[in-house]
Amino acid sequence: FVFVEAFLDHAIRYRLYGMLSESGERLSKTSELHKSVLDVFCEEGIEIASPALMDRREYDTAVQYFPKIGKKNQTRKEATIVEELVFDKADEAQSLEELKEAQTRLSKSLEKLDAKQKKVVEEKIARIGEEIVKREEKRKES
């Protein structure tokens, strides 16, 4: 997905984002993404110029040249979906870390408890452990 990051004096800065199933593919997938962007630009007749490029072209002064943009509703829907996906994953990761911390704290507190209390806490630790395993498996699947 694409975000407009900044309006500069001579250009608009965009940032491309994507999600990978394997982080080890980052370099090759980034290169493939850049190549795809260049291919689309070529197909659409869009050229990328730099401030150092000197090119003089005569255009009809009555015609304005602006990049094509999608409908606003589609962009908002896409942005909402992207944010939900990213933040859902972040929330899930945070929740998993909180479960692990709770499990660690409970394990440390076992020493101070009597036998009856230890059994209750050990059961809680086991349930938390099962939940951690379940969530980690779910993360791997997605």
Side-chain angles (χ1 to χ4, degrees), residues 22-34:
E22 295 291 326
S23 62
E25 300 175 334
R26 182 168 188 251
L27 292 175
S28 62
K29 294 298 181 185
T30 299
S31 178
E32 288 176 31
L33 175 64
H34 291 164

Side-chain angles (χ1 to χ4, degrees), residues 47-89:
E47 48 185 325
I48 301 174
S50 72
L53 176 69
M54 288 293 288
D55 189 12
R56 183 162 170 81
R57 299 179 190 179
E58 298 295 325
Y59 289 109
D60 183 355
T61 56
V63 178
Q64 292 182 331
Y65 296 91
F66 293 104
K68 297 175 189 173
I69 57 172
K71 296 178 183 174
K72 287 184 180 181
N73 291 342
Q74 289 176 334
T75 304
R76 285 188 183 142
K77 286 179 188 174
E78 290 170 2
T80 302
I81 291 169
V82 167
E83 287 177 0
E84 285 175 2
L85 177 64
V86 170
F87 288 112
D88 284 350
K89 291 202 177 277

